[in-house]
Structure formats: C-alpha cells, structure tokens
C-alpha cells in the first residue's frame, strides 16, 4: 500500500515538474517572439521592405497563439469549460488578426507594384529572415510540431502530409525573405524593384491559405455547430433503433473544442432500470460517433403525442401536435403569446 502511495506521489511530482518546465518555456518563447516582432518591424522600416513586415505579422500571430498557455498557467481558477474554450478562442483570433494584417499588406504591395520602391540594405532583410526562420524552428520544437509529425507517421498518411504542409507554410515567409535579400544583393536590374512587393503577395497568399482551415474549424466550434466528424442523420438512426422514434427529443450536439464533442438529449424511460440500461448503451453509441461527453435528461413515463401543456391559443406555436383542446386557468395563465 505504501509502495503504491509513493509511486502516485512521484508521478504527481513529475507531472508538476513538467508543467513548470512547459510554463517557463512558453514564457521565454513569448518574450523571444515579442523581441523578434519588434526587431522585424524596425528592420522593415529601415529597409523599406513589405516582405519583412509580412514576416513580422506571421510572428505576431504565433505570439498570440501562445497566449492561452500563459493565461491558463496564471488563472487556474477558471471553470473547466472556459479552460477548454480558451485555446479555441485564441486559435481563431490569431488567424483572423493575421488575415486582417495581410489585407493591409496586400494593398501596400499593390501600391508598390504601381509605384515601385527600391528596397535597400539587403543585409537587414537577411538578418530579419534568419531571425524569423530560427524563431519558427524554435517555436515548432517547443510547441511539439515535430513530435506531432513523428506521431503522424504511424497514423494516417493524409494527416502526416497535412502537418508537413503546415510546417512548410510556416517557414515560407522567412525563406522568401532570405531569397529576396540574396537577389537584391546579387542583381541591380530595374526589375528587382518589383521583387519585394511580388514576393510579399506570394507570402501573403501562403499565409492566408494556411490559416483558412483554422478560421473555419474554430469558427464552427465557437458558433456551436455540429462537429464535422459527426453525421447527424446517422446518430438519429441509431437513436431510433435504441429508443424508438418518439423515445427521445431535444437532441443537441456541439464541440467544446476541436476533437471534443459534446451532446445532450432527453430520453423517455419506463423506470430507473430502463434508464440505466439506455444510458450505458447511449454512451457507447455517442462515443462511436466521436462524442466524448454526453448529458441525458430522463423523462419517466410513456411518451405521448405531445408532452407540452398548451391551450388552444398556443397550439400553433408548439413544436408538436397536441390532442388536448381543453384548458384550465393555470394553463391559460402560462400559455404562449
């Protein structure tokens, strides 16, 4: 017994140490990200390079994506649902901010294409590109992107290639900066005046394309849409088999976070034993459809054509057809208007 207690306490200590290391690493990474953003903005002004400014916008979006870990490490008293929703909220804010900045950069790039500006000081552009590239590699290492890629190798091939593409898209803005600085240093042809705005548009296109799926996915979660991995009609067919067509109602399904499906429904039960039996089978059913949490409200008794008490004046506003046309004072006092 003492051995088990010792093992449990050791595991708790190891878990706490890992949490402290993770928190410190994210704090340091956030400080480095802020310094890189500030440096890239200054260098973009000194070199008159929109491409450097575009890379700083990408770094800023990564900095915002780190905020949930920092908030959760200092606000452990938040409710469980708020802790689950916070990463999703910032996962939507980060690409939305990046997209809005990309819109401004697009207008600036088009203006530079119409009225070309010669980007000078390619050495500063090179330094900004190296900083951005190093930060992206460190960011992937700290946040576990490389580990996710290794895990994806033993899973679906499609998921693996998706992670590879996301990593390449993250490295693209800084890589384009390095390319631009080398071309500006090697060539002096008038055509290089169009190089910075042209590569800026390419970088903007890559960044917006890489975050579009995040905007859609996290937007659906925050709008409480039915999870894309769950087929509503298939769930209803399985519930019809389990409970009967009129044995359930008020079915709601949404996602608390990506991959964290939640559902609730009301089920008619003849008794407590029937309720326990249905609950155990329903949990297996919903887990098969990708729903991790399920709340079931039992309604004991035989289901009728309509469980709502409603008078003649409110029957047209009801969601089901009522066979009761006789009302009393209590019902009339609470009828729909």
């Amino acid at each position: 017994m003492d051995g088990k207690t010792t093992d449990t306490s050791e595991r708790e200590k190891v878990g706490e140490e890992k949490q402290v290391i993770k928190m410190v690493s994210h704090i340091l990474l956030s400080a480095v990200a802020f310094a890189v953003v500030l440096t890239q903005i200054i260098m973009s002004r000194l070199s008159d390079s929109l491409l450097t400014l575009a890379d700083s916008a990408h770094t800023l979006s990564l900095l915002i994506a780190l905020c949930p870990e920092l908030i959760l490490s200092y606000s452990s008293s938040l409710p469980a649902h708020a802790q689950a929703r916070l990463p999703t909220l910032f996962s939507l804010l980060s690409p939305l901010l990046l997209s809005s900045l990309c819109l401004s950069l697009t207008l600036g790039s088009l203006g530079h294409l119409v009225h070309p500006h010669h980007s000078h000081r390619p050495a500063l552009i090179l330094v900004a590109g190296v900083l951005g590239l190093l930060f992206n590699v460190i960011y992937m290492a700290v946040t576990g992107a490389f580990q996710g890629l290794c895990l994806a190798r033993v899973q679906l091939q499609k998921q693996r290639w998706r992670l590879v593409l996301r990593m390449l898209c993250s490295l693209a803005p800084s890589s384009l900066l390095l390319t631009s600085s080398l071309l500006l240093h090697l060539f002096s042809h008038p055509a290089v005046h169009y190089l910075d705005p042209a590569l800026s548009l390419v970088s903007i296109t890559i960044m917006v394309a890489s975050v579009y799926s995040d905007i859609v996915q996290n937007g659906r979660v925050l709008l409480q849409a039915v999870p894309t991995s769950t087929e509503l009609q298939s769930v209803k067919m399985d519930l019809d088999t389990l409970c009967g067509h009129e044995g359930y109602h008020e079915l709601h399904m949404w996602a608390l976070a990506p991959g964290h499906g939640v559902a609730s429904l009301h089920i008619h039960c003849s008794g407590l034993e029937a309720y326990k039996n249905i609950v155990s089978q329903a949990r297996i059913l919903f887990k098969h459809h990708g729903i991790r949490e399920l709340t079931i409200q039992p309604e004991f008794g035989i289901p009728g054509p309509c469980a709502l008490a409603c008078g003649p004046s409110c029957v047209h506003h009801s969601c089901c057809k009522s066979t009761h046309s006789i009302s009393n004072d209590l019902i009339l006092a609470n009828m729909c208007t």
Side-chain angles (χ1 to χ4, degrees):
M1 192 71 178
D2 294 336
K4 292 182 179 179
T5 305
T6 305
D7 292 340
T8 304
S9 61
E10 288 180 355
R11 289 177 184 176
E12 291 178 353
K13 289 181 180 178
V14 171
E16 290 177 358
E17 289 177 357
K18 288 183 177 179
Q19 283 295 115
V20 171
I21 293 172
K22 184 178 180 181
M23 181 184 69
V24 172
S25 63
H26 278 78
I27 291 174
L28 293 176
L29 188 62
S30 300
V32 172
F34 181 78
V36 171
V37 170
L38 193 60
T39 304
Q40 287 181 329
I41 291 175
I42 294 173
M43 289 183 174
S44 70
R45 298 299 298 173
L46 294 176
S47 61
D48 196 17
S49 171
L50 285 174
L51 188 57
T52 308
L53 199 59
D55 196 21
S56 68
H58 178 257
T59 308
L60 180 61
S61 70
L62 296 180
L63 174 60
I64 294 174
L66 291 171
C67 291
E69 292 291 340
L70 300 177
I71 295 173
L72 291 175
S73 62
Y74 288 102
S75 304
S76 57
S77 60
L78 286 175
H81 69 276
Q83 294 184 16
R85 277 293 173 93
L86 196 63
T88 306
L89 175 62
F90 279 89
S91 295
L92 178 63
L93 291 177
S94 175
L96 280 178
L97 176 63
L98 180 60
S99 300
S100 62
L101 293 175
C102 285
L103 177 60
S104 300
L105 290 168
T106 300
L107 298 177
S109 299
L110 293 176
H112 279 209
L113 283 175
V114 176
H115 302 287
H117 289 70
H118 179 63
S119 298
H120 46 279
R121 297 179 181 175
L124 291 179
I125 300 176
L126 179 65
V127 172
V130 171
L131 281 176
L133 200 60
L134 287 176
F135 173 75
N136 277 280
V137 173
I138 295 172
Y139 180 88
M140 292 178 187
V142 173
T143 55
F146 294 123
Q147 183 181 1
L149 180 60
C150 295
L151 292 174
R153 288 179 181 176
V154 296
Q155 296 175 355
L156 297 176
Q157 191 76 7
K158 184 178 179 181
Q159 184 180 358
R160 176 190 172 187
W161 283 110
R162 186 178 299 171
L163 288 173
V164 171
L165 288 174
R166 288 182 68 89
M167 291 172 62
L168 292 176
C169 290
S170 184
L171 297 174
S174 300
S175 302
L176 290 174
L177 261 182
L178 296 177
T179 304
S180 175
S181 64
L182 291 175
L183 292 176
L184 287 172
H185 180 72
L186 295 175
F187 300 100
S188 58
H189 193 273
V192 298
H193 295 176
Y194 298 93
L195 182 63
D196 187 79
L199 291 180
S200 296
L201 291 175
V202 174
S203 179
I204 289 167
T205 303
I206 293 173
M207 288 190 292
V208 173
S210 65
V211 300
Y212 174 76
S213 60
D214 291 335
I215 294 175
V216 174
Q217 181 185 19
N218 293 292
R220 286 180 57 88
V221 170
L222 293 177
L223 290 173
Q224 296 189 343
V226 177
T228 54
S229 59
T230 304
E231 294 184 7
L232 186 59
Q233 293 302 322
S234 178
V235 174
K236 287 184 176 181
M237 290 175 61
D238 290 343
L239 284 174
D240 287 343
T241 304
L242 178 64
C243 310
H245 185 65
E246 296 183 352
Y248 69 94
H249 62 102
E250 302 295 335
L251 172 62
H252 302 282
M253 291 189 296
W254 68 98
L256 196 59
H260 190 158
V262 182
S264 67
L265 76 158
H266 292 208
I267 290 182
H268 293 286
C269 306
S270 58
L272 185 59
E273 290 300 323
Y275 168 69
K276 292 180 179 180
N277 185 34
I278 289 176
V279 166
S280 60
Q281 296 183 50
R283 293 192 184 282
I284 297 173
L285 186 155
F286 278 91
K287 187 176 290 185
H288 174 71
H289 288 281
I291 302 298
R292 289 172 52 180
E293 296 184 20
L294 176 64
T295 301
I296 297 177
Q297 172 67 45
E299 295 181 359
F300 298 104
I302 301 174
C306 187
L308 296 174
C310 188
S313 301
C314 121
V315 69
H316 297 293
H317 301 282
S318 175
C319 60
C320 57
K321 295 181 180 180
S322 175
T323 57
H324 301 285
S325 59
I326 302 174
S327 60
N328 52 35
D329 295 337
L330 177 62
I331 295 176
L332 287 174
N334 295 281
M335 68 181 182
C336 305
T337 57

